[in-house]
Amino acid sequence: MAINEWPEDQRPRERLIKLGSTALSDAELLAVFLRTGVSGKSAVDLGREMISHFGSLSKLFSANIKDFSAIHGLGNAKFAQLHAVLELAKRAINEELRVNTSLSSPQAVKSYLQLLIGNKSYESFAVLFLDIKNRLIVSEELFRGTLNHASVYPREVVKTALFHNAAAIILAHNHPSGSCEPSRADIDLTKNLQQALRLVDIKVLDHFIVANPHVYSFAEHGLM
């Protein structure tokens, strides 16, 4: 049965308008995005198939166009629309961090990092460069690596921080393997970067490890 034949109080779009987006399941939200299903499947059914096929929303969002289009009913247009929505969300949070003090909204920082590096299939090391009021100047992916390793060079971090005239920075990297627990190498790297940046009077406020849907904060766990 097509969604437009469902009772109105069960249709995802009408439920979203009435109850808000948080009331909808992942499949229902995807159905609103998809708008229509395919022969024999409603948009909600197709949304469920997408999640089942990829295993999670984060894996769905990080899928390349070939894998994305392997599901009947999906293709270039839907792939482009989905990534446009993800980019808009990232830019909206970026704006919030630029206007507001980052430390007053730690959840905004975590959400931004999840969008920035959480869905990448390789290990990515990013830095958020902040002004004297801890507002975001710019964020950059400085290093990228393989599935479980990215080489990070403190000299490059210091040089880029000075280029942006940053007063403080936030470090972040992802763990594509799925565990957000820091390794001994992660802890040692953080200390080395703190020491290097202290020489040029730049503070390291936190180091986040992103393994969607989880984000680990060094500062929250007493490691800063």
Side-chain angles (χ1 to χ4, degrees):
M1 183 185 297
I3 288 178
N4 59 10
E5 298 176 8
W6 293 10
E8 188 170 322
D9 62 354
Q10 295 180 21
R11 300 175 194 170
R13 184 174 61 187
E14 283 72 11
R15 292 186 64 235
L16 186 150
I17 293 171
K18 182 178 180 180
L19 303 174
S21 58
T22 57
L24 273 64
S25 67
D26 292 344
E28 288 175 316
L29 289 171
L30 284 172
V32 175
F33 161 74
L34 293 166
R35 296 178 59 193
T36 59
V38 295
S39 179
K41 293 180 182 177
S42 70
V44 174
D45 292 330
L46 184 54
R48 291 194 188 103
E49 181 181 353
M50 293 165 68
I51 296 170
S52 175
H53 179 84
F54 290 103
S56 67
L57 286 176
S58 62
K59 291 180 180 178
L60 165 63
F61 296 157
S62 63
N64 59 41
I65 191 165
K66 180 181 178 181
D67 293 338
F68 183 86
S69 302
I71 296 179
H72 177 58
L74 303 181
N76 292 358
K78 293 299 184 186
F79 183 86
Q81 291 170 17
L82 176 63
H83 283 270
V85 170
L86 292 173
E87 182 61 26
L88 285 171
K90 185 164 62 177
R91 293 185 186 189
I93 298 174
N94 188 297
E95 287 181 0
E96 180 181 346
L97 294 178
R98 288 176 182 272
V99 173
N100 298 319
T101 302
S102 64
L103 292 183
S104 69
S105 184
Q107 188 53 52
V109 177
K110 291 180 180 180
S111 297
Y112 177 67
L113 291 173
Q114 285 177 303
L115 288 170
L116 185 68
I117 61 175
N119 298 320
K120 296 186 183 296
S121 59
Y122 57 86
E123 187 158 313
S124 171
F125 190 92
V127 181
L128 277 60
F129 299 96
L130 311 176
D131 66 16
I132 196 169
K133 294 184 179 180
N134 291 334
R135 293 175 302 199
L136 181 67
I137 300 171
V138 68
S139 62
E140 289 189 22
E141 180 189 63
L142 292 188
F143 310 100
R144 62 170 62 187
T146 60
L147 178 64
N148 56 13
H149 178 74
S151 297
V152 178
Y153 302 98
R155 177 182 176 183
E156 292 301 313
V157 178
V158 173
K159 184 170 72 173
T160 309
L162 291 173
F163 173 80
H164 291 301
N165 196 29
I169 66 170
I170 292 174
L171 308 170
H173 76 279
N174 64 327
H175 279 180
S177 61
S179 171
C180 63
E181 288 296 318
S183 66
R184 182 72 251 174
D186 293 333
I187 295 171
D188 290 342
L189 172 64
T190 304
K191 291 180 179 178
N192 289 339
L193 288 170
Q194 283 181 300
Q195 292 173 358
L197 287 153
R198 191 178 296 122
L199 296 175
V200 291
D201 199 28
I202 296 175
K203 297 178 182 178
V204 180
L205 300 182
D206 206 340
H207 186 169
F208 291 95
I209 299 176
V210 182
N212 280 343
H214 306 293
V215 181
Y216 183 99
S217 162
F218 278 49
E220 290 177 356
H221 287 82
L223 296 177
M224 299 293 294

